[in-house]
Amino acid sequence: MRQIENTRVVILGQGYVGLPLAMRCVEQGFLVVGFDVDDRKIDQLNSGSSPVEDISDSELAQALASGRYIPSDDPGSLAGFDYAIISVPTPLAAGQPDLSYIEAAISTIAPQLRPGCTVVLESTTYPGTTDELVADRIEELTGLRAEEDYHLGYSPERIDPGNPVWTLVNTPKVVSGVGPTSLGAVQWFYDQCVDKTVAVKTTREAELTKLLENTFRHVNIALVNELAMFAHDLDVDIWEVIDAAATKPFGFMKFSPGPGVGGHCLPVDPSYLSWAVKNRLGRTFRFVELANDINRHMPEYVVRRLRAGLTERESLEGASVLLVGMAYKPNTGDARESPSVDVATRLIDLGADVRVIDGHVDSSRLPRGSVEIDLTAAEVASAEAVIVLVDHDDIDLDLINEHASYVLDCRDVLRGENIESL
Ligand SMILES: NC(=O)c1ccc[n+]([C@@H]2O[C@H](COP(=O)([O-])OP(=O)(O)OC[C@H]3O[C@@H](n4cnc5c(N)ncnc54)[C@H](O)[C@@H]3O)[C@@H](O)[C@H]2O)c1
């Protein structure tokens, strides 16, 4: 019987996914190396400053003080691991899955991989990555065969940064293995970390589960976004329609329109699926293509609506526009693929004077040509238009309502004569 306190876990990638898992493992008594190739991140972690909003500095300090959490960029620190969890980026490169980070992580693990160890991939990817790419590459580098010599599995991450209700611990976690022994090892590990694990047949079902979840959101958001554009032209209040539909206790799930989709998941993951369908089956995943098309065009639509809203103006050149919220969703500092950045860039290209507010996003992530300001009555009053793109909890919406002459509200959080909802 394996003992938690003797189990050495290495988590490759200390980002939004890897760091919370590392903290949970330490809390549960594992010995954890948080490995990352970014030496600045490792220095930051070692200094006790958390780079991820969901993890507080005090949580990190506690983990460091326990002596059971070691952030490191030294591949030698992986020596003697029992479990290696891979949570590195899986972006798109020229519209295609870029698995080079996973491959690099495997090369780091390989020299330390011993019979009896367990390797789990958490990065989002298309079905077949674990039992083909990961297994084959490990065998090539070490001669060890998955399931026979070591355990190999996939467990998709469902973490929702900024969500205080559904956390790593109380969100059920799907687990899988390339065979029964692997599944046993993978499930044992996650059973120590989360309230409930859900085992599926093979790693392929687990990989596709994650892509189904994200594609489901992507497609449904695209549906309400397209409907929002039609409803506006038909003079129907889409927000009231959605709220009314959401009173149906069955068969409907509420999704809200917005300025587009961002973050690491929705703009990227469904394309992993459509790529796999195209590559393996030679077919087109039409739902994904359509959702991509609609959601990608939303920032352009926001600019169009602004232009239409500023009735006195011929063009947006020289217009002073205040953008509220540059992250991709509320209460996070994550601005990756943020549609707000796209809106800002478009306005800057049209010659607008763009000011932005977001206390969560690092200034280096703000679009070049924009001016970062604090939310004050004077700034709001001097703007010709305010666009509410993201409604972080710390944004004083009343102040905007009171002082703005015109607001394009992409989140339907304001009411008043001067407010127009998307
Ligand atoms: N952020 C989310 O909400 C979320 C949710 C579910 C799944 N995911 C998936 O999890 C994976 C990781 O996403 P994330 O948001 O944590 O990314 P992130 O960018 O926040 O963190 C990834 C970390 O991996 C590090 N890294 C890169 N190459 C490495 C290597 N070879 N070895 C070790 N570290 C390496 C990077 O320096 C970075 O710190 C992705 O596949 C993503 O799709 C993310």
Side-chain angles (χ1 to χ4, degrees):
M1 183 68 181
R2 188 174 277 290
Q3 304 281 310
I4 291 187
E5 55 281 8
N6 299 328
T7 304
R8 296 176 65 87
V9 178
V10 55
I11 300 176
L12 293 100
Q14 289 294 278
Y16 288 92
V17 167
L19 185 59
L21 180 64
M23 294 299 101
R24 179 61 180 163
C25 288
V26 172
E27 193 182 17
Q28 295 303 88
F30 288 105
L31 303 162
V32 181
V33 171
F35 177 82
D36 203 293
V37 288
D38 180 347
D39 54 350
R40 277 176 313 175
K41 189 172 271 185
I42 292 302
D43 288 347
Q44 186 182 349
L45 285 166
N46 274 315
S47 76
S49 154
S50 169
V52 170
E53 280 174 327
D54 286 346
I55 300 299
S56 67
D57 288 351
S58 67
E59 256 174 287
L60 175 61
Q62 233 174 332
L64 290 165
S66 74
R68 280 182 285 104
Y69 175 56
I70 300 162
S72 175
D73 59 356
D74 172 12
S77 65
L78 272 66
F81 78 80
D82 299 297
Y83 279 81
I85 315 295
I86 304 176
S87 55
V88 298
T90 42
L92 291 170
Q96 303 214 342
D98 174 4
L99 299 184
S100 61
Y101 297 86
I102 295 181
E103 289 183 24
I106 294 169
S107 303
T108 308
I109 293 170
Q112 311 296 347
L113 190 69
R114 297 164 298 132
C117 289
T118 302
V119 176
V120 187
L121 181 62
E122 283 218 359
S123 302
T124 306
T125 184
Y126 56 80
T129 306
T130 309
D131 63 2
E132 287 175 3
L133 181 126
V134 178
D136 291 356
R137 190 85 188 107
I138 289 180
E139 193 173 336
E140 221 174 274
L141 293 171
T142 66
L144 296 175
R145 293 174 64 85
E147 185 70 2
E148 284 172 30
D149 302 317
Y150 74 101
H151 312 121
L152 176 62
Y154 181 81
S155 178
E157 186 47 69
R158 285 173 162 165
I159 206 152
D160 184 18
N163 188 333
V165 178
W166 293 106
T167 62
L168 173 65
V169 177
N170 66 4
T171 304
K173 194 144 180 21
V174 172
V175 293
S176 67
V178 294
T181 319
S182 294
L183 173 60
V186 173
Q187 190 156 22
W188 175 83
F189 172 71
Y190 287 106
D191 276 337
Q192 315 309 312
C193 302
V194 304
D195 292 345
K196 184 178 162 60
T197 53
V198 180
V200 294
K201 243 186 290 175
T202 75
T203 49
R204 288 172 180 240
E205 277 77 24
E207 288 159 334
L208 188 54
T209 300
K210 176 68 185 172
L211 292 182
L212 168 63
E213 290 166 12
N214 284 352
T215 303
F216 175 82
R217 272 185 64 69
H218 190 49
V219 165
N220 279 286
I221 291 171
L223 171 68
V224 290
N225 276 340
E226 188 165 46
L227 198 54
M229 295 187 271
F230 292 147
H232 176 71
D233 292 347
L234 292 169
D235 201 20
V236 180
D237 183 341
I238 185 66
W239 302 90
E240 191 169 15
V241 170
I242 292 170
D243 282 344
T247 61
K248 186 178 177 188
F250 49 88
F252 184 82
M253 187 178 281
K254 182 175 172 176
F255 287 89
S256 301
V261 294
H264 195 74
C265 295
L266 297 195
V268 175
D269 300 350
S271 297
Y272 265 64
L273 190 48
S274 57
W275 178 88
V277 168
K278 182 104 196 146
N279 198 262
R280 300 274 162 98
L281 309 175
R283 311 251 284 273
T284 302
F285 199 149
R286 290 168 296 165
F287 262 115
V288 172
E289 302 299 330
L290 185 60
N292 278 343
D293 186 51
I294 293 168
N295 288 335
R296 271 189 206 134
H297 280 91
M298 287 312 287
E300 191 183 317
Y301 177 69
V302 170
V303 171
R304 244 187 6 247
R305 284 286 301 273
L306 177 70
R307 201 176 234 165
L310 291 178
T311 45
E312 316 270 284
R313 281 193 155 268
E314 293 270 299
S315 83
L316 290 175
E317 183 152 17
S320 56
V321 185
L322 179 53
L323 302 183
V324 177
M326 299 309 291
Y328 81 93
K329 68 171 190 174
N331 304 323
T332 173
D334 192 349
R336 288 178 293 182
E337 315 275 343
S338 172
S340 303
V341 174
D342 192 344
V343 170
T345 308
R346 285 171 186 280
L347 291 172
I348 291 163
D349 289 348
L350 290 169
D353 167 19
V354 175
R355 293 169 176 245
V356 301
I357 292 169
D358 197 317
H360 298 259
V361 173
D362 192 272
S363 304
S364 64
R365 304 295 305 225
L366 298 175
R368 193 176 295 177
S370 66
V371 178
E372 188 181 8
I373 56 154
D374 291 328
L375 183 59
T376 63
E379 286 285 0
V380 173
S382 68
E384 283 171 69
V386 176
I387 309 183
V388 176
L389 292 159
V390 179
D391 53 324
H392 294 305
D393 286 348
D394 61 5
I395 287 171
D396 188 346
L397 294 171
D398 292 338
L399 184 127
I400 296 173
N401 212 352
E402 205 174 314
H403 297 281
S405 49
Y406 169 74
V407 182
L408 177 58
D409 178 4
C410 299
R411 301 289 175 178
D412 195 44
V413 287
L414 292 168
R415 293 282 172 272
E417 287 291 297
N418 52 342
I419 316 290
E420 196 185 340
S421 284
L422 193 69

